């Protein structure tokens, strides 16, 4: 783990009273390696290391505290701070309905997260309508209908022959008619380089003016987490993210990339396939996990 | 990078960055760069030859399984039962890949059957049935909810043997490798295949998503042990991700990559080419 690596890198700091430009070089390299092994994007890692370097330089080496442990604390605190707020709440539009738009690459867990959010909202006594706009993936609408039935939440759909923009628009109208508190719009997975699909997503957003646009990202995503986040944020605009499949054993460095590139909060994490498996985001837990 | 004279220190750094950004991983990148630098020192290579040598290093890694006994051409053996078990973590493209494989199989004149052994996820059976319809391939599924997937596999093998099926594609539920009970379930499925179809040609293929980071190696290690993997399918290469973790998977587990998935349509699957992969990786 990073701690052992820093121990050896830190032999140079023994007997020093300040952390300086020179004695920190090797330690910073070890942190960079750890971040890369945790799938943090290379550029994001470099920017973060620079952040750490500036915090560390000139820091007094605290008597009685081993320098490597002091340095780890500087890295950890910096990471927790970058990871942002815990329990960042979902938007709550006034008047209702609150409109939430789900977005992301193929297979990241959007449809499952749509149902998970509905269950979460129920605990806050907020009623929900789910809208099925994935007209492409075979049985995608069936999937959302099945999930809706499992949690006794209504699903609005218009089959696969209507445009997703129109389904979204009519879904929001239905939500107003039903008087539900929140409407969550599930969308098809799409590549950020697919101009047509990105335009479709932007058109859906334009048509329904969501209070919340959530990027759903698979926690095991590698280097591309930064690029895909940048593209979705620039072309569509996101207000938050959900990191899924954190019940796996991946380090989850994608979280740092998503957070640093978009500046938006990670609002929830997916921790299982069941509809109950949604938890609020805790920056300190993810920071420890990324640092291994 | 390619200019006059030998590969500069900056150029080496640039290559290192390119590999890291392609999810090749820190350790694998270190090994590759070390091999490149050794060669450059030995032979004072100019930049363009150094790049050519780098590509050779990468291709050799990917082709090594063929020197260890795996056949290069990969197709079901005609006239006998072939069973291809398709496994992997959640959402990587297993079901879609089966749809594509069924299409290739029928186009190539094989009698094909699909076992819908994901009995857990919402609308999983409906999804694979639609894929089956698209290539006119029958899907064997059990109608009850939460049926034991091993039972579906058992029934599908029985049906395949009775009908003289040549390729049985087994779709399984996504599962994370750290879930012991789910890996036990996969082991059981593999045992059933070995036991009931011991004389069949069996392939066990791990589907890896190209957007995956370093966890891919861990996935491959655990799945290899549970399902006795014989190959890898790399999906979503139509995106921007390069799938670099596949290098470590091939190198450390000795498994060949068999197919590339590059799109959501039924035709978007092609045989793996190390040349094509390496060119794309370094582009
Ligand atoms: N273990 C685990 N599996 C998850 C989690 N979230 C989703 N999944 C699984 O991931 C797979 C993909 O989930 P979907 O909800 O279909 O993903 P999607 O983003 O809607 O996929 P597309 O619509 O095809 O882009 C399914 O097998 C889900 O059960 C999670 O937090 N943990
Ligand atoms: N762009 C792209 N998308 C793909 C590719 N292969 C699969 N997909 C998409 O990825 C998503 C998940 O595909 P599935 O076939 O459901 O994946 P799976 O592994 O069976 O998922 P689970 O059974 O839920 O674990 C779908 O939206 C597919 O259309 C590919 O090669 N390229
Ligand atoms: Mg979906
Ligand atoms: Mg599937």
């Amino acid at each position: 783990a990073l701690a052992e690596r820093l121990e050896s890198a830190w032999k140079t700091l023994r007997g020093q009273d300040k952390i300086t430009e020179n004695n920190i070089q090797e330690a910073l390299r070890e942190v960079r390696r750890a971040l890369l092994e945790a799938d943090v994007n290379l550029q994001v890692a470099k920017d973060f290391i620079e952040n750490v370097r500036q915090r560390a330089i000139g820091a007094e080496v605290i008597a009685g505290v081993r320098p490597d442990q002091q340095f780890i604390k500087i890295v950890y605190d910096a990471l927790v701070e970058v990871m942002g707020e815990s329990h960042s709440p979902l938007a709550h539009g006034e008047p209702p309905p609150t409109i939430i738009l789900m977005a992301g690459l193929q297979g990241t867990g959007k449809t499952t997260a749509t149902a998970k959010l509905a269950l979460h909202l129920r605990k806050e006594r907020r009623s929900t309508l789910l809208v099925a706009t994935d007209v492409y993936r075979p049985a995608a609408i069936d999937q959302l209908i099945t999930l809706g039935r499992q949690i006794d939440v209504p699903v609005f759909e218009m089959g696969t022959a209507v445009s997703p923009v129109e389904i979204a628009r009519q879904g929001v109208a239905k939500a107003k008619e039903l008087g539900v508190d929140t409407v969550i719009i599930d969308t098809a997975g799409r590549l950020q380089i697919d101009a047509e699909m990105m335009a479709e997503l932007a058109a859906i957003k334009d048509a329904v003016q969501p209070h919340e646009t959530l990027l759903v990202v698979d926690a095991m995503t590698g280097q591309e987490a930064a690029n895909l986040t940048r593209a979705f944020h620039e072309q569509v605009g996101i207000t938050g993210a959900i990191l899924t499949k954190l019940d796996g054993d991946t380090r989850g460095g994608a979280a740092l990339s998503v957070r640093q590139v978009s500046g938006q909060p990670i609002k929830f994490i997916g921790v299982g396939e069941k509809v109950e498996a949604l938890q609020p985001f805790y920056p300190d837990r993810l920071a420890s996990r990324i640092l291994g | 990078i390619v200019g006059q004279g030998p590969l500069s220190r900056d150029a080496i750094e640039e290559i290192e960055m390119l590999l890291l950004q392609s999810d090749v991983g820190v350790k694998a990148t270190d090994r590759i760069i070390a091999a490149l630098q050794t060669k450059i020192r030995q032979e004072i290579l100019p930049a363009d030859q150094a790049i050519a040598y780098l590509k050779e290093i990468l291709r050799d890694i990917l082709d090594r399984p063929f020197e260890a006994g795996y056949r290069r051409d990969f197709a079901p053996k005609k006239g006998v039962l072939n069973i291809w078990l398709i496994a992997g973590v959640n959402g990587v493209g297993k079901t879609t890949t089966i749809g594509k494989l069924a299409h290739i199989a029928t186009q190539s004149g094989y009698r094909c059957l699909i076992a819908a052994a994901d009995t857990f996820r919402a609308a999983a059976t409906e999804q694979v049935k639609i894929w089956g319809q698209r290539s006119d391939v029958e899907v064997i599924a059990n109608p009850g909810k939460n049926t034991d997937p091993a039972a579906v596999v058992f029934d599908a093998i029985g049906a395949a043997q009775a009908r003289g099926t040549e390729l049985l594609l087994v779709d399984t539920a996504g599962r994370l490798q750290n879930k012991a009970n789910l890996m036990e379930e996969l082991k059981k499925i593999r045992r059933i295949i070995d036991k009931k179809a011991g004389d069949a040609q069996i392939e066990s293929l791990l589907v890896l998503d190209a957007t995956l980071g370093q966890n891919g190696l861990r996935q491959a290690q655990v799945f290899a042990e549970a399902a006795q993997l014989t190959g890898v399918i790399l999906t979503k290469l139509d995106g921007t991700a390069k799938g670099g973790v596949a290098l470590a998977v091939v190198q450390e587990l000795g498994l060949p990559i068999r197919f590339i998935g590059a799109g959501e349509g039924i035709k978007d699957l092609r045989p793996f080419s190390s040349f094509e992969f390496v060119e794309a990786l370094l582009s």
Side-chain angles (χ1 to χ4, degrees):
Chain A
L2 184 60
E4 287 99 43
R5 296 227 208 103
L6 287 184
E7 226 178 70
S8 56
W10 222 263
K11 295 210 167 53
T12 55
L13 258 202
R14 299 238 176 88
Q16 312 250 345
D17 60 356
K18 261 201 194 338
I19 296 181
T20 69
E21 190 73 64
N22 284 333
N23 56 32
I24 208 176
Q25 284 303 338
E26 197 179 337
L28 285 177
R29 262 198 298 278
E30 286 303 332
V31 175
R32 194 184 103 149
R33 268 183 88 87
L35 293 178
L36 287 172
E37 287 177 345
D39 291 325
V40 177
N41 172 274
L42 180 58
Q43 192 54 50
V44 170
K46 285 184 176 175
D47 294 344
F48 177 75
I49 298 289
E50 180 55 25
N51 176 351
V52 167
R53 192 183 66 84
Q54 292 185 3
R55 287 171 185 240
I57 297 287
E60 303 284 332
V61 176
I62 299 172
V65 177
R66 279 196 2 228
D68 56 328
Q69 296 188 338
Q70 183 182 346
F71 182 71
I72 285 204
K73 177 134 177 39
I74 292 175
V75 176
Y76 175 77
D77 288 349
L79 194 49
V80 171
E81 190 174 313
V82 173
M83 292 303 251
E85 299 298 302
S86 171
H87 284 90
S88 198
L90 270 181
H92 203 157
E94 209 43 61
T98 300
I99 302 170
I100 301 178
L101 179 62
M102 309 291 279
L105 254 52
Q106 290 89 347
T108 57
K110 298 175 292 301
T111 304
T112 310
T114 299
K116 287 179 176 181
L117 279 178
L119 198 61
H120 166 83
L121 284 167
R122 172 174 294 152
K123 293 200 214 105
E124 302 183 348
R125 307 198 189 288
R126 291 170 62 172
S127 60
T128 318
L129 173 70
L130 308 183
V131 179
T133 74
D134 184 350
V135 301
Y136 308 100
R137 167 173 157 156
I141 297 178
D142 282 334
Q143 186 185 4
L144 193 61
I145 289 175
T146 302
L147 288 170
R149 198 175 301 132
Q150 281 176 16
I151 56 176
D152 197 20
V153 168
V155 174
F156 178 85
E157 53 94 7
M158 297 179 71
T160 59
V162 180
S163 91
V165 179
E166 190 53 29
I167 301 171
R169 203 179 275 133
Q170 296 211 23
V172 173
K174 188 70 177 174
K176 291 185 174 139
E177 180 192 321
L178 291 177
V180 292
D181 178 276
T182 302
V183 55
I184 309 177
I185 304 168
D186 184 24
T187 61
R190 68 202 66 223
L191 298 176
Q192 81 276 18
I193 53 169
D194 185 335
E196 216 172 297
M197 287 299 277
M198 291 304 281
E200 174 191 282
L201 186 61
I204 295 175
K205 186 171 189 223
D206 205 51
V208 302
Q209 299 288 314
H211 301 86
E212 190 86 75
T213 301
L214 298 175
L215 184 66
V216 181
V217 179
D218 189 326
M220 356 171 194
T221 308
Q223 293 288 307
E224 283 306 293
N227 299 326
L228 73 96
T229 301
R230 184 171 305 110
F232 273 87
H233 195 40
E234 286 177 356
Q235 295 181 42
V236 181
I238 65 176
T239 57
I242 299 181
L243 204 62
T244 62
K245 308 178 201 171
L246 270 169
D247 46 320
D249 57 18
T250 193
R251 296 268 289 276
L256 177 56
S257 301
V258 171
R259 172 76 188 142
Q260 193 149 300
V261 167
S262 69
Q264 303 303 307
I266 296 173
K267 299 208 166 186
F268 295 97
I269 61 174
V271 291
E273 294 194 68
K274 302 217 169 79
V275 196
E276 297 79 14
L278 188 75
Q279 285 176 6
F281 170 69
Y282 292 102
D284 51 345
R285 286 188 203 170
L286 203 35
S288 307
R289 183 171 175 150
I290 289 177
L291 290 178
Chain B
I1 289 183
V2 179
Q4 298 291 359
L7 210 59
S8 66
R9 183 190 172 84
D10 283 349
I12 301 253
E13 266 192 45
E14 220 173 302
I15 292 173
E16 185 188 35
M17 267 184 55
L18 186 59
L19 293 175
L20 288 171
Q21 287 171 335
S22 305
D23 288 312
V24 171
V26 176
K27 288 205 185 74
T29 297
D30 285 348
R31 282 199 296 266
I32 291 164
I33 295 292
L36 181 63
Q37 284 182 319
T38 305
K39 182 80 167 181
I40 292 175
R41 262 179 247 126
Q42 284 171 353
E43 302 186 15
I44 320 279
L45 288 181
D48 59 339
Q49 284 190 35
I51 299 298
Y53 185 66
L54 172 66
K55 291 183 180 178
E56 201 181 312
I57 295 174
L58 298 173
R59 281 198 308 269
D60 284 351
I61 291 174
L62 295 166
D63 289 339
R64 193 143 317 136
F66 303 124
E67 291 155 32
Y70 282 98
R71 296 177 50 123
R72 269 178 198 275
D73 52 308
F74 187 70
K77 191 167 171 206
K78 263 242 146 258
V80 302
L81 175 57
N82 295 260
I83 303 179
W84 291 6
L85 174 61
I86 308 294
V89 303
N90 307 69
V92 294
K94 299 177 291 302
T95 305
T96 307
T97 298
I98 285 189
K100 297 170 181 176
L101 287 170
H103 175 72
I104 297 177
T106 41
Q107 295 286 62
S108 317
Y110 289 94
R111 287 187 298 279
C112 189
L113 198 60
I114 295 170
D118 178 353
T119 55
F120 168 75
R121 209 209 67 212
T125 313
E126 288 84 329
Q127 182 187 9
V128 74
K129 279 188 173 161
I130 292 174
W131 278 112
Q133 282 164 15
R134 288 177 178 180
S135 3
D136 207 10
V137 169
E138 191 178 335
V139 174
I140 306 284
N142 277 354
K145 180 128 194 348
N146 267 331
T147 318
D148 178 7
V152 178
V153 176
F154 187 86
D155 292 346
I157 294 176
Q161 286 166 334
R163 302 176 198 189
T165 297
E166 290 168 299
L167 180 60
L168 171 63
L169 299 164
V170 181
D171 191 15
T172 59
R175 68 201 68 226
L176 298 181
Q177 70 278 12
N178 55 323
K179 307 268 169 107
N181 58 328
L182 296 181
M183 297 315 289
E184 271 313 305
E185 180 185 270
L186 184 61
K187 280 185 192 153
K188 182 174 172 198
I189 290 175
R190 179 64 212 241
R191 269 202 305 277
I192 298 242
I193 295 175
D194 289 339
K195 209 155 161 261
K196 184 152 171 67
D199 51 352
Q201 301 286 313
I202 302 171
E203 294 286 342
S204 180
L205 304 169
L206 176 69
V207 178
L208 284 178
D209 186 328
T211 66
L212 186 59
Q214 296 311 297
N215 197 250
L217 181 56
R218 188 77 202 119
Q219 286 175 23
Q221 286 163 341
V222 179
F223 273 82
E225 197 265 329
Q228 295 167 54
L229 296 180
T230 58
V232 169
I233 299 177
L234 197 55
T235 61
K236 307 185 192 171
L237 273 173
D238 48 321
T240 52
K242 301 289 180 79
V245 74
L247 280 164
V249 170
V250 174
Q251 193 163 40
E252 306 216 5
L253 295 172
L255 294 170
I257 301 174
R258 291 310 197 174
F259 294 103
I260 294 290
E264 301 186 74
I266 205 166
K267 299 210 177 88
D268 296 331
L269 190 78
R270 55 178 183 270
F272 177 74
S273 145
S274 61
F275 177 84
E276 188 191 331
F277 182 84
V278 171
E279 290 297 310
L281 190 79
L282 297 181
S283 66

